[in-house]
């Protein structure tokens, strides 16, 4: 009954104040996340996504490239141009995780080390750690 009616705020005033709310949220969120341990993969390596691109030779046909990728052990084809790069076999954990762990596993229980995608002019490899990036391919 004794409620006071709040004044109507103009759209222009709300738009001018929007950045203050965004910055307040951002600074609060950053402060809380700065104390978080680093994300790690299942092997205990820091989770660092890489972007490795292998340019395709002129005249290379995608179906030939796909056929070659299918011969690489550990490649599990999802569709005509996308593969999951899986660990060789299910194994016990490597290093002990000291932080938060983020893993991707297949229904079989095998860990996903990264992904391979065939683009128009290159083959894109996206491993989830520096160690996976430097792992030798057969």
């Amino acid at each position: 009954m004794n409620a006071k009616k709040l004044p109507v705020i103009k759209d222009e005033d709300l738009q001018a104040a929007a950045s203050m709310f965004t910055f307040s949220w951002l600074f609060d969120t950053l402060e809380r996340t700065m104390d978080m341990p680093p994300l790690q993969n299942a092997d205990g390596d820091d989770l660092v996504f890489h972007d490795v691109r292998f340019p395709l030779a002129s005249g290379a046909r995608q179906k030939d490239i796909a056929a070659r990728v299918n011969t690489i052990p550990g490649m599990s084809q999802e569709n005509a141009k996308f593969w999951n790069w899986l660990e060789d076999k299910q194994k016990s954990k490597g290093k002990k995780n000291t932080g938060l762990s983020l893993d991707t596993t297949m229904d079989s229980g095998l860990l996903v080390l990264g992904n391979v995608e065939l683009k128009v002019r290159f083959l894109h490899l996206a491993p989830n750690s520096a160690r996976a990036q430097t792992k030798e391919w057969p």
Side-chain angles (χ1 to χ4, degrees):
M1 293 197 171
N2 292 334
K4 294 182 182 179
K5 188 172 184 180
L6 296 174
V8 175
I9 301 173
K10 296 178 189 173
D11 284 347
E12 299 84 37
D13 294 335
L14 287 173
Q15 288 173 354
S19 62
M20 290 188 298
F21 288 101
T22 301
F23 282 124
S24 296
W25 170 83
L26 179 61
F27 287 128
D28 177 61
T29 302
L30 285 175
E31 185 178 328
R32 283 190 272 144
T33 59
M34 296 304 280
D35 294 332
M36 288 180 59
L39 281 175
Q40 297 177 330
N41 66 14
D43 290 329
D45 297 325
D46 285 343
L47 192 66
V48 179
F49 292 100
H50 294 77
D51 185 27
V52 183
R53 295 168 186 242
F54 300 97
L56 301 180
S58 178
R61 298 184 319 178
Q62 288 193 351
K63 70 177 187 175
D64 295 333
I65 301 295
R68 296 281 302 264
V69 172
N70 281 326
T71 66
I72 300 171
M75 291 296 158
S76 174
Q77 191 168 15
E78 289 295 317
N79 62 43
K81 297 182 180 187
F82 188 88
W83 294 261
N84 285 302
W85 179 21
L86 306 177
E87 65 184 345
D88 298 333
K89 59 186 173 205
Q90 213 168 355
K91 60 183 179 194
S92 61
K93 295 207 179 221
K95 297 190 291 184
K96 173 124 173 89
N97 286 352
T98 58
L100 298 174
S101 178
L102 179 65
D103 311 331
T104 303
T105 58
M106 301 298 285
D107 290 340
S108 65
L110 293 176
L111 284 169
V112 177
L113 302 173
N115 305 109
V116 174
E117 187 171 8
L118 185 57
K119 301 284 190 172
V120 174
R121 296 191 174 139
F122 59 90
L123 188 68
H124 180 237
L125 168 65
N128 68 11
S129 73
R131 187 160 48 138
Q133 176 189 346
T134 59
K135 183 177 177 180
E136 274 191 41
W137 286 27

